[in-house]
Amino acid sequence: SVIIATYNRADYIKECLESLVSQTYKNFEVIIADDGSTDNTEEVVSAFFERLKLNYFKIPNSGFPGKPRNMAVKKAEANWLCFLDSDDKWTNNKLKTCLPFLKRYDVIYHKLKYFGSGKPFYRKNIPSRQVETPVFIDLMTMGNSIALSSALIRKEVFFEAKCFFDENSSIGGLDDYDLWLKTSLITNR
């Protein structure tokens, strides 16, 4: 299940969804939780209903991506949760490349590249590294190296770790780091 939380991303979400249409592995669903967009996000998304197995719903604006992500996760039917921000995209073989690792790991991730024009980039890649065991100690001492839009997590592990995203500003933009810390307390896979 590909989880996308969005808010006023009509300018980006088309490219995001096109990257899902072009996936070489096709057996997935897309759940888009719209956090009260006031632009034409819904119109852009509607063009993809015949091209993707798509579940789109809109909620009143909560101000943070945690609430829409949590609501989307609860609707997920697959055994794996894949997160994709609405202003990001995947290469066409992202899901197929991850498939061989599903049986051995509970969390799978990779580095990301920045794309687009008009954005000031201070680096071309979002760095990533292989975390060491115990994963909790690694993440606490070396910092977060798992970019959310690159990550897949086994759904049962997500629920077992009570990994729901923070729904307010108490931890700001660190809700993905919180997710990985909670996960690392129950698995090193």
Side-chain angles (χ1 to χ4, degrees):
S1 297
V2 180
I3 307 297
I4 301 173
T6 190
Y7 174 71
N8 285 345
R9 293 288 192 198
D11 293 343
Y12 296 102
I13 200 164
K14 180 179 180 189
E15 199 167 353
C16 171
L17 295 175
E18 287 289 353
S19 80
L20 296 178
V21 169
S22 71
Q23 288 299 301
T24 54
Y25 177 78
K26 302 290 187 186
N27 187 17
F28 63 92
E29 66 175 341
V30 180
I31 304 168
I32 300 175
D34 187 335
D35 196 24
S37 293
T38 57
D39 64 2
N40 65 328
T41 294
E42 187 170 357
E43 179 184 326
V44 173
V45 170
S46 69
F48 288 86
F49 280 115
E50 293 182 15
R51 301 172 70 195
L52 292 166
K53 182 180 177 187
L54 185 58
N55 179 348
Y56 172 87
F57 64 94
K58 191 171 185 175
I59 62 172
N61 182 259
S62 67
F64 302 98
K67 184 173 187 172
R69 281 184 186 137
N70 290 339
M71 293 176 78
V73 163
K74 290 176 184 174
K75 294 178 179 286
E77 295 178 6
N79 293 327
W80 281 85
L81 305 172
C82 310
F83 296 102
L84 179 60
D85 287 344
S86 58
D87 60 348
D88 291 340
K89 65 181 182 178
W90 289 340
T91 59
N92 67 346
N93 63 345
K94 186 267 194 317
L95 293 174
K96 185 176 183 178
T97 301
C98 292
L99 284 176
F101 302 99
L102 296 183
K103 289 188 190 305
R104 293 188 317 189
Y105 298 101
D106 293 323
V107 175
I108 301 166
Y109 62 96
H110 51 78
K111 69 180 179 181
L112 293 178
K113 273 188 192 176
Y114 283 107
F115 74 95
S117 58
K119 294 180 183 178
F121 299 128
Y122 61 94
R123 57 187 178 194
K124 284 187 172 185
N125 294 306
I126 298 174
S128 183
R129 62 180 173 75
Q130 176 62 52
V131 293
E132 302 294 329
T133 57
V135 175
F136 180 80
I137 300 297
D138 181 286
L139 291 173
M140 287 298 292
T141 59
M142 301 298 292
N144 186 17
S145 66
I146 306 172
L148 190 63
S149 281
S150 77
L152 294 76
I153 183 172
R154 193 178 304 277
K155 186 169 71 172
E156 67 186 39
V157 171
F158 182 92
F159 283 104
E160 182 182 343
K162 297 175 178 63
C163 285
F164 289 99
F165 294 94
D166 187 45
E167 294 189 6
N168 59 53
S169 65
S170 68
I171 60 172
L174 299 173
D175 54 350
D176 57 336
Y177 190 26
D178 183 59
L179 165 70
W180 308 130
L181 288 171
K182 288 177 187 173
T183 303
S184 70
L185 290 172
I186 64 164
T187 184
N188 280 308
R189 291 175 19 118

